[in-house]
């Protein structure tokens, strides 16, 4: 087998372009490779002193018993509370391990339980989102460097759909699958293939059922679980904050030892330098200037002086895009790099997603070129890709590590592969078994083989192909039949499966599931491949057990004495015994093979550490920190910076607490999206698995800094965030955002309606009329000059996302365009010029679903730069959610931006029209209701209504069309204002012209008036320059009175429109909310407890999966204190 580290593959299409970006390895001699024993010690380290903890000995992959045993639903001890400290380090680790493992395993366990109870379940009938494949057969094995993999064929009958595998979430690498024999259906057998060497199967005739859950993705948890087990035997630095919740944070140890730092990269002053600043001094330099604002400087100080630094970055505060710089994290990294010593380990930076990591590294690249990205799933081929570990290794070959594990491991693997191939030879030849094979494995005795040979000399069997000549074949005769078990090509007339996961999310899942660290270890398992084929078997006979056939073999030396009708079943029995022997031996070899796989990983990392130690910054995802923890641990990192720290589960951040850690920096925003859980019952009380370490520490009053100046949203858009971020300020640049074409000065608007919602086939909420309204409004913006790339449509529901995207693609005016239609959960950290938000929910049951989750709402409200337009039922939301009530109230204040119609502004006439439903756009051309008045290229007038584009192609403003030139009439005016400075005469003979610019004309001696009249008659289009006082009269005479009258009429119409608009605003506000003025009047007061006198009456799980409490007692309403009926409140909000 070739080694991808030594022989680069030629199949990567970007290789040539990447080569051009590499620095030549001849620029400096490569340092000698050294063996780092820390990697081997880490992986082979024991946990004997685990204090009796059992979780450290749990297997990496769930066992079959763990999956097949259903959850009994019994109450367990509540593992922890968000508020307060933990009992011990062991309790902290074991509880996080248990919760994380449950979240990773439960989805598949629920699927298995469902199939066990209802074996004939189809996917469309599954309540557990099961994905079911039947007629599964093992047809081959691949002996890869990552382990042994099985190749299977299967039927999609139960899916009810055709699958586009390239865009499907099904069976992506890292997903847990469970198999059971088709005749068992999980009643007694459940196998996690190949989770354990003892689960390996090789029988090509065995039919299986295979299932997976569409909700679970175990690979995202697998490495984190291993990290928690390892931390149990480590020192666990910073546990005094993470476990004991100390609120006073000390400086990093290395800062206490040397507090003087070079701050000249951040601070400037004309009076001195800042290359020797005591950063622990109580007073920072107060005469220095900086590009950072006050809140950013405060955050920078916290990052540099606290060993646990927490920085909250509200929406729009992170990136100073208009300066081309990045946020305070990169500024802090610049200071840390300026003060980094040569023998200091690399700084580790991490983010929750590959996209965010690439974004962070792009901003780091200008200030530090010596960075390396772990993991090859970067989409930035220009800056980041050449700095992935794989590409750096290809650019500079360092050779072999003396005493390393790679060479011996590869040699051992090759020997094992050869042995396993020889062992499985009887299942690869594609012909019936030979008696010699049965004798070799002690299934037949010497005497039995001799009897077969002796008897076969008397027989000529014409029922078998000529290639089948063994004695046992003649003995079996017609009882030897073809094994017709292959999965055949099938077409049930199914339609293609809808893509139920956004493309970006799918790619992110695949990226996290890669088994290796770069393109040399992608998802394609490379290695020796073995096809399993067993096309012949014996005729089956019912009624005799395995023991009966074993007894028959023991007492029968001459197999020709077995009756012909019993030879087929006996052959079948011997065939199965052989496979049992082979699989038993294979499992023993697999144990050894797995050890070689581990040794090979150690050997590769022993090489990789020599590259990484030369880097100044190492970047990876949070999953990568766990996946490569042994490799990173060998570098002894002291500083770890984590972006998106509030969007990830706590255990994934805990994995970054290396033994050597002295400084942990967490940057994020706990008021935006939380971490995602597979099992919704683990979110919120009593388990709080979705609460990040960032949020938990903030809620426990551990010190943190908040950035306060946003640079994304226009002030009118930002005011919608006031209920969430009351202290958020605007940078002056955001007021200069360009207006939205076709919307006048309307930067934001909440279009309220009561169009009823619906449910699609996948039980996701949709609102078809709202979708039509958004699609038509999208087209209106495009007609008025907005580019599709500058518009994003957001929604809380994937069903609505698919509906809107499909409608946009079908729109006649939008063909060939690329659209950004995404769910809120996938858009954190992103932004665009114009955002249209589809809220979907409108019903009589007062249900608002995901719209009640404040974190999601926060993200939805903060993505737009210049225009933000909301479509939904404002009345329902205001009465069911305090947050939405505050938002609607904020948008109802001057200027009022809530209504039942959508105001649109004509770019030609600046008049306002109102769209109240999707049908309005069917009669609109993108302008107002006036006639166009423009002229077509043919000379005819444009017959359609006002439109913002040129008449010839509907692409630019008709107001720019050129009208026919009119001659300038000469006429005498008895006015001194028209007297030429160069002429004199009676007032009634004053020439209206000052000068006539025509060099070819010859002046006569006639009077000036006659001369000018004669000239103008001959040259009606000559350019005549008038005195400033005369120009208005000439314009009026040239037809300007028409324009003047039109301008006056337009001003009157605009004034009437503004008055009508104001009146409509007031009417719509009253229609939505009555005569209420305050929040307490708008919201359903029965939902808001006014005192602490409510008592817990019980708990239940709501239909949306949230855990809710029932309370009873009294509350103080705006009018009086009343007895409260039993009401429900979200537990997390009751904290």
């Amino acid at each position: 087998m070739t080694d991808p580290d030594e022989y680069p593959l030629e199949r990567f299409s970007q290789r040539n372009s990447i080569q051009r970006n590499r620095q030549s390895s001849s620029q400096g001699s490569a340092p000698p490779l050294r063996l780092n024993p820390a990697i081997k010690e880490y992986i082979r380290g024991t946990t004997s002193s685990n204090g009796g903890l059992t979780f450290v000995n749990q297997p990496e992959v769930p066992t079959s018993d763990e999956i097949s045993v259903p959850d009994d639903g019994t109450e367990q001890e509540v593992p922890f509370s968000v508020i307060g400290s933990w009992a011990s380090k062991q309790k902290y680790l074991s509880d996080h391990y248990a919760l994380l493992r449950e979240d990773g395993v439960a989805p598949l366990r629920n699927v298995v339980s469902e199939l066990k109870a209802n074996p004939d379940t189809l996917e469309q009938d599954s309540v557990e989102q099961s994905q079911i494949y039947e007629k599964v057969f093992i047809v081959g094995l691949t002996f890869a460097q990552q382990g042994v993999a099985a190749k299977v064929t299967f039927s999609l009958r139960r899916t009810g759909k055709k699958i586009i595998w390239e865009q499907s979430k099904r069976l992506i690498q890292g997903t847990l699958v469970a198999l059971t024999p088709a005749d068992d259906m999980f009643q007694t057998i459940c196998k996690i293939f190949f989770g354990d060497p003892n689960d390996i199967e090789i029988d090509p005739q065995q039919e299986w059922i295979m299932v997976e859950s569409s909700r679970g993705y175990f690979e995202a948890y697998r490495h984190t679980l291993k990290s928690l087990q390892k931390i149990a035997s480590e020192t666990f630095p910073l546990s005094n904050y993470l476990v004991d919740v100390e609120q006073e944070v000390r400086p990093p140890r290395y800062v206490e030892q040397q507090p003087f730092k070079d701050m000249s990269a951040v601070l400037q002053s004309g009076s001195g330098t800042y290359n020797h600043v005591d950063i622990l001094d109580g007073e920072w330099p107060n005469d220095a200037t900086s590009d950072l604002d006050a809140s950013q400087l405060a955050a920078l100080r916290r990052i540099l002086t606290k060993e646990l630094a927490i920085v909250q970055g509200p929406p729009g505060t992170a990136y100073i895009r208009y300066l081309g710089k990045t946020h305070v994290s990169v500024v802090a990294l610049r200071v840390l790099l300026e003060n980094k010593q040569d023998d200091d380990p690399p700084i580790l930076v991490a983010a929750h997603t590959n996209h965010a990591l690439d974004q962070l590294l792009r901003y780091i690249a200008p200030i530090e070129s010596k960075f390396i990205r772990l993991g090859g799933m970067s989409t930035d081929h220009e800056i980041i890709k050449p700095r992935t570990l794989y590409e750096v290794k290809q650019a500079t070959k360092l050779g072999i590590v003396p005493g390393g594990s790679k060479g011996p491991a590869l040699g051992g693997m090759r020997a094992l592969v050869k042995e396993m191939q020889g062992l499985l030879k009887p299942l690869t030849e594609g012909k019936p078994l030979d008696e010699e094979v049965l004798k070799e494995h002690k299934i037949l005795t010497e005497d039995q083989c001799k009897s077969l040979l002796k008897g076969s000399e008397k027989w000529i069997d014409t029922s078998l192909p000529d290639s089948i000549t063994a004695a046992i074949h003649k003995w079996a005769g017609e009882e030897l039949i073809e094994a017709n078990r292959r999965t055949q090509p099938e077409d049930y007339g199914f339609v293609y499966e809808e893509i139920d996961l956004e493309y970006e999310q799918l790619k992110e899942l695949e990226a996290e599931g890669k088994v290796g660290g770069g393109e040399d270890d992608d998802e394609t398992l490379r290695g020796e491949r073995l096809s399993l084929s067993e096309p012949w078997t014996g005729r089956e006979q019912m009624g005799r057990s395995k023991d009966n056939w074993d007894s028959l073999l023991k007492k029968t030396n001459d197999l020709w004495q077995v009756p012909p009708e019993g030879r087929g079943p006996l052959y079948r029995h011997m065939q199965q015994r052989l496979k049992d022997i082979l699989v038993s031996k294979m499992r023993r070899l697999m144990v050894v093979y797995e050890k070689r796989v581990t040794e090979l990983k150690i050997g590769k990392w022993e090489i990789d550490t020599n590259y990484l130690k030369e880097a100044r910054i190492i970047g990876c995802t949070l999953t990568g920190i766990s996946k490569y923890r042994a490799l990173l641990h060998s570098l002894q990192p002291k500083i770890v910076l984590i972006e998106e720290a509030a969007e990830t589960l706590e255990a994934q951040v805990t994995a970054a607490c290396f033994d050597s850690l002295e400084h942990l920096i967490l940057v994020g925003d706990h008021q935006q999206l939380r971490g995602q859980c597979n099992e919704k019952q683990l979110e919120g009380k009593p388990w709080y698995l979705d609460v990040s370490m960032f949020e938990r520490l903030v809620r426990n009053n551990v010190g943190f800094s908040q950035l306060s100046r946003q640079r994304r949203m226009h002030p009118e858009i930002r005011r919608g965030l006031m209920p969430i971020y009351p202290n958020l300020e605007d940078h002056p640049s955001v007021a200069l955002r360009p207006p939205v074409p076709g919307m006048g000065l309307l930067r934001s608007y909440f279009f309220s309606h009561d169009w009823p919602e619906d449910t699609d086939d996948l039980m996701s909420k949709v609102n078809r009329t709202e979708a039509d309204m958004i699609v038509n409004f999208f087209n209106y913006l495009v007609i008025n000059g907005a580019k599709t790339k500058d518009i994003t449509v957001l929604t809380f529901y994937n069903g609505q996302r698919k509906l809107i995207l499909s409608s946009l693609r079908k729109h006649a005016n939008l063909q060939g365009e690329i659209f950004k239609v995404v769910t809120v959960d996938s858009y954190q950290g992103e932004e665009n010029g114009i955002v249209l938000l589809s809220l979907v929910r409108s019903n009589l049951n007062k249900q608002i679903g995901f719209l009640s989750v404040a974190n999601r709402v926060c993200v939805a409200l903060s993505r737009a730069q210049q225009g933000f337009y909301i479509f939904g039922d404002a009345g329902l939301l205001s009465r069911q959610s305090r947050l939405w009530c505050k938002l609607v109230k904020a948008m109802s204040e001057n200027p009022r931006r809530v209504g039942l119609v959508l105001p649109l502004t004509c770019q030609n006439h600046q008049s306002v029209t109102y769209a109240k439903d999707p049908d309005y756009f069917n009669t609109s051309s993108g302008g107002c209701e006036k006639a166009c008045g423009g002229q077509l290229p043919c000379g005819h007038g444009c017959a359609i209504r006002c439109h913002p584009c040129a008449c010839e192609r509907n692409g630019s403003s008709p107001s720019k069309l050129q009208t026919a030139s009119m001659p300038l009439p000469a006429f005498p005016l008895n006015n001194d204002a028209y007297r030429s400075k160069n002429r004199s005469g009676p007032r009634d003979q004053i020439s209206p012209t000052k000068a006539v610019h025509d060099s070819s004309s010859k002046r006569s001696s006639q009077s000036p008036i006659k001369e000018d009249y004669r000239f103008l008659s001959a040259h009606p289009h000559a350019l005549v320059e008038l005195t400033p006082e005369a120009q208005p009269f000439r314009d009026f005479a040239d037809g300007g009175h028409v324009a003047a009258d039109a301008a006056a009429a337009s001003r009157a119409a605009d004034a009437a429109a503004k008055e009508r608009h104001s009146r409509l605003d007031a009417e719509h506000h009253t229609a939505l909310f009555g005569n209420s003025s305050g929040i307490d009047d708008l919201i359903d007061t029965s939902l808001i407890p006014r005192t602490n006198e409510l008592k817990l009456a019980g708990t239940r799980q709501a239909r949306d999966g949230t855990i809710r409490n029932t309370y009873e007692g009294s509350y103080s309403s705006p009018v009086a204190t009343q007895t409260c009926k039993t009401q429900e409140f979200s537990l997390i909000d009751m904290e």
Side-chain angles (χ1 to χ4, degrees), residues 390-407:
Y390 174 74
E391 294 297 336
V392 171
K393 287 161 62 178
Q394 294 303 306
T396 306
K397 295 291 187 178
L398 296 184
I400 300 174
V401 176
S405 302
K406 181 178 178 181

Side-chain angles (χ1 to χ4, degrees), residues 434-436 439 444-459 469-475 557-560:
D434 191 296
E435 59 271 10
E436 293 298 324
K439 183 178 70 172
L444 292 180
T445 65
E446 182 73 26
D447 292 341
Q448 289 171 330
C449 286
K450 288 181 179 179
S451 69
L452 286 173
L453 290 170
K454 183 177 180 180
S456 66
E457 295 173 354
K458 304 175 183 178
W459 288 88
T469 59
I472 195 172
H473 305 156
K474 297 179 180 180
W475 168 79
N557 285 330
D558 186 358
L559 293 181
W560 287 95

Side-chain angles (χ1 to χ4, degrees), residues 714-717 733-748 777 780-781 784-787 790-791 833-834 865-869 897 905 907 910:
H714 188 276
E716 183 180 313
I717 301 172
S733 63
V734 297
L736 305 177
R737 296 283 189 196
V740 178
M743 299 304 293
L745 299 178
L746 205 70
R747 300 280 190 166
S748 64
F777 180 54
Y780 168 84
L781 294 176
N784 276 272
K787 297 180 180 179
D790 296 330
I791 307 175
I834 304 169
Q865 297 172 339
Q866 64 190 87
F868 181 48
Y869 306 98
R897 295 293 188 251
T905 300
Q907 294 194 79
Q910 300 305 309

